[in-house]
Amino acid sequence: MGLFAKIKEGLKKTKEAIAYKLNKLFTGGVLTDEFYDELEETLITSDIGAETTDTVMDRLKDEIDRQHIRDTARVREVLKKILIDILEENEKPTYSYPLVIMLSGVNGVGKTTAIGKLAKKFKSMGKSVTIAAADTFRAAASDQLTVWAERAGVRIIKHAEGADPAAVVYDAAQSVRSKNGDVLLIDTAGRLHNKKNLMEELKKIARVSERELPSSQILNYIVLDATTGQNAIAQVDIFNEAIDIDGIILTKLDGTAKGGVVLAIAGELNVPVVYIGVGEGIDDLEDFDAVAFVNGIMGDE
């Protein structure tokens, strides 16, 4: 299955929630206040969010006036371009090696799975990959990560449950440095019941990474569950308190009709969506492509 086909299939539920409503609006006719009201309601109820919807509607009306558009059919292409522009305004990081990526996120978002898929992605690019199992709080977290590391064919550094996460990262960084490794992926705890401790832990891990691998590119990604819709945005705010988020991995996009949240994230947070999870397989983590995404949710081939 090609890249667009996988994204299209993964966005099936979102497309069913959005495209049908949009197609009804864009089947011809003149532009009326009722058309604008219905379009605005469709965008908001598709988890694009009120703030981003306001931005979209303002840009759309400006373009309609500028191009002297008078019928709804032409509005479709203008809307597509605006949505793509919003998604492309936040540039995705360009990788350099050695590379360190720390993944954060609340429990249950698919962080461990995302690390396994990310490890496989880098391994398939010919990179030497090491995983640091720095979630030492959750029982069996390192065991789950070990399974993914074995499936991806990469090394994993882990300590006993309850160990200092920063010590795991220190050992992993030493290993990467001694073996001239290319990529270090760091798993972190996702508990939020003691938020202050978690945030301090993340800061400490970041300091160790910077100190031990000073010549590396260091990025902080947050993993979000697409099925949570607008709640995903609040999670980014929580983790931004401790670390600057450089990118987002959006998981479980294939299992939700709330894929419109990608636009809310881009519009409100000014953080790029870097990868999207569109299936359960180890190869089902795709580079985010704004054009393919917008085509997918609008039902275009």
Short mmCIF file of all heavy atoms in Angstrom, two decimals, residues 19-62:
data_model
loop_
_atom_site.label_atom_id
_atom_site.label_comp_id
_atom_site.label_asym_id
_atom_site.label_seq_id
_atom_site.Cartn_x
_atom_site.Cartn_y
_atom_site.Cartn_z
N ALA A 19 -16.04 14.83 5.32
CA ALA A 19 -16.22 14.96 3.87
C ALA A 19 -17.70 15.00 3.47
O ALA A 19 -18.10 15.79 2.60
CB ALA A 19 -15.50 13.83 3.14
N TYR A 20 -18.51 14.15 4.09
CA TYR A 20 -19.93 14.10 3.72
C TYR A 20 -20.60 15.46 3.95
O TYR A 20 -21.33 15.96 3.09
CB TYR A 20 -20.63 13.01 4.54
CG TYR A 20 -22.13 12.96 4.32
CD1 TYR A 20 -22.65 12.48 3.12
CD2 TYR A 20 -23.00 13.42 5.30
CE1 TYR A 20 -24.03 12.46 2.90
CE2 TYR A 20 -24.38 13.40 5.09
CZ TYR A 20 -24.88 12.92 3.89
OH TYR A 20 -26.24 12.91 3.69
N LYS A 21 -20.30 16.06 5.10
CA LYS A 21 -20.89 17.37 5.40
C LYS A 21 -20.40 18.44 4.42
O LYS A 21 -21.17 19.27 3.94
CB LYS A 21 -20.55 17.79 6.83
CG LYS A 21 -21.09 16.87 7.90
CD LYS A 21 -20.58 17.31 9.27
CE LYS A 21 -20.94 16.32 10.35
NZ LYS A 21 -20.34 16.68 11.65
N LEU A 22 -19.08 18.40 4.11
CA LEU A 22 -18.53 19.40 3.19
C LEU A 22 -19.08 19.21 1.79
O LEU A 22 -19.39 20.19 1.10
CB LEU A 22 -17.00 19.31 3.17
CG LEU A 22 -16.27 19.74 4.45
CD1 LEU A 22 -14.77 19.55 4.29
CD2 LEU A 22 -16.59 21.19 4.79
N ASN A 23 -19.18 17.98 1.35
CA ASN A 23 -19.69 17.72 0.00
C ASN A 23 -21.12 18.25 -0.17
O ASN A 23 -21.47 18.75 -1.25
CB ASN A 23 -19.64 16.22 -0.31
CG ASN A 23 -18.23 15.74 -0.55
OD1 ASN A 23 -17.34 16.52 -0.89
ND2 ASN A 23 -18.00 14.44 -0.37
N LYS A 24 -21.92 18.14 0.86
CA LYS A 24 -23.28 18.68 0.79
C LYS A 24 -23.25 20.20 0.62
O LYS A 24 -24.06 20.77 -0.11
CB LYS A 24 -24.05 18.31 2.06
CG LYS A 24 -24.57 16.88 2.09
CD LYS A 24 -25.36 16.60 3.35
CE LYS A 24 -26.62 17.42 3.42
NZ LYS A 24 -27.41 17.12 4.65
N LEU A 25 -22.27 20.83 1.29
CA LEU A 25 -22.17 22.28 1.20
C LEU A 25 -21.65 22.75 -0.17
O LEU A 25 -22.02 23.81 -0.65
CB LEU A 25 -21.23 22.81 2.29
CG LEU A 25 -21.78 22.90 3.71
CD1 LEU A 25 -20.66 23.22 4.69
CD2 LEU A 25 -22.87 23.95 3.78
N PHE A 26 -20.76 21.92 -0.75
CA PHE A 26 -20.09 22.35 -1.97
C PHE A 26 -20.71 21.79 -3.25
O PHE A 26 -20.04 21.64 -4.26
CB PHE A 26 -18.61 21.93 -1.91
CG PHE A 26 -17.84 22.63 -0.83
CD1 PHE A 26 -16.99 21.92 0.01
CD2 PHE A 26 -17.95 23.99 -0.63
CE1 PHE A 26 -16.27 22.55 1.02
CE2 PHE A 26 -17.24 24.64 0.37
CZ PHE A 26 -16.42 23.92 1.20
N THR A 27 -21.98 21.48 -3.21
CA THR A 27 -22.62 20.91 -4.40
C THR A 27 -23.25 21.99 -5.27
O THR A 27 -24.24 21.74 -5.96
CB THR A 27 -23.70 19.89 -3.99
OG1 THR A 27 -24.56 20.49 -3.02
CG2 THR A 27 -23.08 18.63 -3.45
N GLY A 28 -22.71 23.15 -5.25
CA GLY A 28 -23.23 24.23 -6.09
C GLY A 28 -24.13 25.16 -5.32
O GLY A 28 -24.49 24.91 -4.18
N GLY A 29 -24.48 26.24 -5.97
CA GLY A 29 -25.33 27.22 -5.32
C GLY A 29 -24.57 28.49 -5.01
O GLY A 29 -23.34 28.56 -5.16
N VAL A 30 -25.28 29.49 -4.56
CA VAL A 30 -24.67 30.78 -4.29
C VAL A 30 -24.22 30.85 -2.84
O VAL A 30 -24.68 30.08 -1.99
CB VAL A 30 -25.66 31.92 -4.59
CG1 VAL A 30 -25.99 31.97 -6.08
CG2 VAL A 30 -26.92 31.77 -3.75
N LEU A 31 -23.32 31.76 -2.58
CA LEU A 31 -22.81 31.94 -1.23
C LEU A 31 -23.80 32.78 -0.41
O LEU A 31 -24.15 33.89 -0.80
CB LEU A 31 -21.45 32.63 -1.26
CG LEU A 31 -20.34 31.86 -1.97
CD1 LEU A 31 -19.07 32.70 -2.04
CD2 LEU A 31 -20.05 30.56 -1.25
N THR A 32 -24.23 32.22 0.69
CA THR A 32 -25.16 32.91 1.57
C THR A 32 -24.64 32.88 2.99
O THR A 32 -23.70 32.14 3.31
CB THR A 32 -26.55 32.22 1.53
OG1 THR A 32 -26.38 30.87 2.04
CG2 THR A 32 -27.10 32.17 0.11
N ASP A 33 -25.28 33.66 3.85
CA ASP A 33 -24.91 33.63 5.27
C ASP A 33 -25.13 32.23 5.84
O ASP A 33 -24.37 31.76 6.69
CB ASP A 33 -25.75 34.64 6.06
CG ASP A 33 -25.34 36.07 5.77
OD1 ASP A 33 -24.22 36.27 5.26
OD2 ASP A 33 -26.15 36.98 6.04
N GLU A 34 -26.17 31.55 5.35
CA GLU A 34 -26.45 30.20 5.82
C GLU A 34 -25.31 29.24 5.44
O GLU A 34 -24.93 28.38 6.24
CB GLU A 34 -27.75 29.69 5.20
CG GLU A 34 -28.17 28.31 5.72
CD GLU A 34 -29.45 27.80 5.10
OE1 GLU A 34 -30.01 28.49 4.22
OE2 GLU A 34 -29.89 26.71 5.49
N PHE A 35 -24.74 29.41 4.24
CA PHE A 35 -23.61 28.58 3.81
C PHE A 35 -22.42 28.77 4.77
O PHE A 35 -21.83 27.78 5.24
CB PHE A 35 -23.18 28.96 2.39
CG PHE A 35 -21.86 28.38 1.98
CD1 PHE A 35 -21.75 27.07 1.53
CD2 PHE A 35 -20.69 29.13 2.09
CE1 PHE A 35 -20.53 26.53 1.17
CE2 PHE A 35 -19.46 28.60 1.74
CZ PHE A 35 -19.38 27.30 1.27
N TYR A 36 -22.10 30.01 5.07
CA TYR A 36 -20.98 30.28 5.97
C TYR A 36 -21.24 29.72 7.36
O TYR A 36 -20.34 29.16 8.00
CB TYR A 36 -20.71 31.79 6.06
CG TYR A 36 -20.06 32.38 4.83
CD1 TYR A 36 -20.68 33.39 4.10
CD2 TYR A 36 -18.81 31.93 4.41
CE1 TYR A 36 -20.09 33.93 2.97
CE2 TYR A 36 -18.20 32.47 3.28
CZ TYR A 36 -18.84 33.47 2.57
OH TYR A 36 -18.24 33.99 1.46
N ASP A 37 -22.46 29.87 7.84
CA ASP A 37 -22.80 29.35 9.18
C ASP A 37 -22.66 27.83 9.22
O ASP A 37 -22.12 27.27 10.19
CB ASP A 37 -24.24 29.75 9.55
CG ASP A 37 -24.38 31.23 9.85
OD1 ASP A 37 -23.33 31.89 10.06
OD2 ASP A 37 -25.53 31.72 9.85
N GLU A 38 -23.13 27.16 8.18
CA GLU A 38 -23.04 25.70 8.13
C GLU A 38 -21.60 25.23 8.01
O GLU A 38 -21.21 24.22 8.63
CB GLU A 38 -23.88 25.15 6.98
CG GLU A 38 -25.38 25.23 7.23
CD GLU A 38 -26.17 24.55 6.12
OE1 GLU A 38 -25.63 23.61 5.49
OE2 GLU A 38 -27.32 24.95 5.89
N LEU A 39 -20.81 25.94 7.23
CA LEU A 39 -19.40 25.57 7.08
C LEU A 39 -18.67 25.74 8.42
O LEU A 39 -17.90 24.86 8.83
CB LEU A 39 -18.74 26.43 6.01
CG LEU A 39 -17.24 26.21 5.80
CD1 LEU A 39 -16.93 24.74 5.46
CD2 LEU A 39 -16.69 27.13 4.72
N GLU A 40 -18.93 26.84 9.09
CA GLU A 40 -18.29 27.09 10.39
C GLU A 40 -18.68 26.00 11.39
O GLU A 40 -17.82 25.48 12.12
CB GLU A 40 -18.71 28.47 10.91
CG GLU A 40 -18.03 28.86 12.22
CD GLU A 40 -18.35 30.29 12.62
OE1 GLU A 40 -19.27 30.90 12.05
OE2 GLU A 40 -17.67 30.79 13.53
N GLU A 41 -19.95 25.63 11.41
CA GLU A 41 -20.41 24.59 12.33
C GLU A 41 -19.75 23.24 12.01
O GLU A 41 -19.35 22.49 12.91
CB GLU A 41 -21.93 24.45 12.25
CG GLU A 41 -22.49 23.41 13.22
CD GLU A 41 -23.99 23.26 13.10
OE1 GLU A 41 -24.64 24.08 12.43
OE2 GLU A 41 -24.52 22.29 13.69
N THR A 42 -19.63 22.95 10.71
CA THR A 42 -18.99 21.69 10.29
C THR A 42 -17.55 21.63 10.77
O THR A 42 -17.09 20.59 11.28
CB THR A 42 -19.04 21.55 8.76
OG1 THR A 42 -20.40 21.46 8.35
CG2 THR A 42 -18.29 20.31 8.29
N LEU A 43 -16.82 22.72 10.62
CA LEU A 43 -15.41 22.74 11.04
C LEU A 43 -15.28 22.58 12.55
O LEU A 43 -14.44 21.80 13.04
CB LEU A 43 -14.75 24.04 10.58
CG LEU A 43 -14.65 24.25 9.06
CD1 LEU A 43 -14.05 25.62 8.76
CD2 LEU A 43 -13.82 23.16 8.40
N ILE A 44 -16.09 23.29 13.29
CA ILE A 44 -16.00 23.22 14.76
C ILE A 44 -16.36 21.82 15.25
O ILE A 44 -15.67 21.26 16.11
CB ILE A 44 -16.93 24.27 15.41
CG1 ILE A 44 -16.36 25.67 15.18
CG2 ILE A 44 -17.06 24.00 16.92
CD1 ILE A 44 -17.25 26.79 15.67
N THR A 45 -17.40 21.22 14.71
CA THR A 45 -17.83 19.90 15.17
C THR A 45 -16.94 18.78 14.64
O THR A 45 -17.12 17.62 15.02
CB THR A 45 -19.29 19.62 14.74
OG1 THR A 45 -19.40 19.73 13.32
CG2 THR A 45 -20.24 20.59 15.40
N SER A 46 -15.98 19.13 13.80
CA SER A 46 -15.02 18.13 13.30
C SER A 46 -13.71 18.19 14.07
O SER A 46 -12.67 17.75 13.58
CB SER A 46 -14.75 18.38 11.81
OG SER A 46 -15.94 18.28 11.05
N ASP A 47 -13.76 18.78 15.27
CA ASP A 47 -12.61 18.88 16.18
C ASP A 47 -11.50 19.78 15.65
O ASP A 47 -10.36 19.69 16.12
CB ASP A 47 -12.05 17.48 16.53
CG ASP A 47 -12.81 16.86 17.69
OD1 ASP A 47 -13.82 16.21 17.44
OD2 ASP A 47 -12.40 17.06 18.83
N ILE A 48 -11.81 20.64 14.71
CA ILE A 48 -10.83 21.61 14.25
C ILE A 48 -10.69 22.73 15.26
O ILE A 48 -9.68 23.43 15.29
CB ILE A 48 -11.22 22.12 12.83
CG1 ILE A 48 -11.02 20.97 11.83
CG2 ILE A 48 -10.41 23.33 12.41
CD1 ILE A 48 -11.56 21.23 10.45
N GLY A 49 -11.68 22.89 16.10
CA GLY A 49 -11.59 23.84 17.21
C GLY A 49 -12.07 25.22 16.83
O GLY A 49 -11.97 25.65 15.68
N ALA A 50 -12.57 25.96 17.81
CA ALA A 50 -13.15 27.28 17.57
C ALA A 50 -12.11 28.29 17.09
O ALA A 50 -12.35 29.06 16.16
CB ALA A 50 -13.85 27.79 18.84
N GLU A 51 -10.95 28.28 17.74
CA GLU A 51 -9.91 29.27 17.40
C GLU A 51 -9.42 29.08 15.96
O GLU A 51 -9.33 30.04 15.19
CB GLU A 51 -8.75 29.14 18.38
CG GLU A 51 -7.67 30.19 18.19
CD GLU A 51 -6.56 30.09 19.22
OE1 GLU A 51 -6.88 29.77 20.40
OE2 GLU A 51 -5.39 30.31 18.88
N THR A 52 -9.09 27.84 15.60
CA THR A 52 -8.61 27.58 14.24
C THR A 52 -9.72 27.78 13.22
O THR A 52 -9.47 28.27 12.11
CB THR A 52 -8.03 26.16 14.14
OG1 THR A 52 -7.00 26.01 15.11
CG2 THR A 52 -7.45 25.89 12.76
N THR A 53 -10.94 27.42 13.58
CA THR A 53 -12.08 27.65 12.68
C THR A 53 -12.24 29.13 12.38
O THR A 53 -12.49 29.52 11.22
CB THR A 53 -13.37 27.08 13.28
OG1 THR A 53 -13.26 25.66 13.37
CG2 THR A 53 -14.58 27.44 12.43
N ASP A 54 -12.08 29.99 13.38
CA ASP A 54 -12.15 31.44 13.16
C ASP A 54 -11.10 31.88 12.16
O ASP A 54 -11.37 32.69 11.25
CB ASP A 54 -11.96 32.20 14.48
CG ASP A 54 -13.19 32.15 15.37
OD1 ASP A 54 -14.27 31.78 14.86
OD2 ASP A 54 -13.07 32.47 16.56
N THR A 55 -9.89 31.35 12.32
CA THR A 55 -8.79 31.69 11.39
C THR A 55 -9.13 31.25 9.97
O THR A 55 -8.95 32.00 9.01
CB THR A 55 -7.48 31.01 11.84
OG1 THR A 55 -7.14 31.46 13.15
CG2 THR A 55 -6.34 31.32 10.88
N VAL A 56 -9.62 30.01 9.86
CA VAL A 56 -9.98 29.47 8.54
C VAL A 56 -11.06 30.32 7.89
O VAL A 56 -10.96 30.69 6.71
CB VAL A 56 -10.46 28.00 8.66
CG1 VAL A 56 -11.05 27.52 7.33
CG2 VAL A 56 -9.30 27.10 9.08
N MET A 57 -12.10 30.65 8.63
CA MET A 57 -13.22 31.41 8.07
C MET A 57 -12.78 32.81 7.66
O MET A 57 -13.21 33.31 6.60
CB MET A 57 -14.37 31.48 9.08
CG MET A 57 -15.02 30.14 9.41
SD MET A 57 -15.70 29.27 7.97
CE MET A 57 -16.98 30.42 7.45
N ASP A 58 -11.94 33.45 8.46
CA ASP A 58 -11.47 34.79 8.10
C ASP A 58 -10.66 34.76 6.81
O ASP A 58 -10.85 35.60 5.91
CB ASP A 58 -10.60 35.37 9.23
CG ASP A 58 -11.42 35.78 10.45
OD1 ASP A 58 -12.66 35.89 10.31
OD2 ASP A 58 -10.83 35.97 11.52
N ARG A 59 -9.75 33.77 6.70
CA ARG A 59 -8.94 33.66 5.49
C ARG A 59 -9.80 33.32 4.29
O ARG A 59 -9.57 33.82 3.18
CB ARG A 59 -7.85 32.59 5.68
CG ARG A 59 -6.78 32.94 6.69
CD ARG A 59 -5.66 31.91 6.66
NE ARG A 59 -4.72 32.09 7.75
CZ ARG A 59 -3.63 31.35 7.92
NH1 ARG A 59 -3.35 30.38 7.05
NH2 ARG A 59 -2.81 31.55 8.93
N LEU A 60 -10.78 32.46 4.51
CA LEU A 60 -11.65 32.03 3.42
C LEU A 60 -12.44 33.21 2.87
O LEU A 60 -12.51 33.41 1.64
CB LEU A 60 -12.60 30.94 3.91
CG LEU A 60 -13.52 30.31 2.87
CD1 LEU A 60 -12.70 29.52 1.85
CD2 LEU A 60 -14.53 29.38 3.54
N LYS A 61 -13.02 33.99 3.74
CA LYS A 61 -13.81 35.14 3.29
C LYS A 61 -12.94 36.16 2.56
O LYS A 61 -13.37 36.76 1.56
CB LYS A 61 -14.52 35.78 4.48
CG LYS A 61 -15.65 34.91 5.03
CD LYS A 61 -16.25 35.49 6.31
CE LYS A 61 -17.36 34.58 6.85
NZ LYS A 61 -17.92 35.08 8.13
N ASP A 62 -11.72 36.36 3.06
CA ASP A 62 -10.79 37.28 2.39
C ASP A 62 -10.49 36.81 0.97
O ASP A 62 -10.46 37.61 0.02
CB ASP A 62 -9.49 37.41 3.18
CG ASP A 62 -9.65 38.22 4.45
OD1 ASP A 62 -10.68 38.91 4.60
OD2 ASP A 62 -8.75 38.16 5.31
#
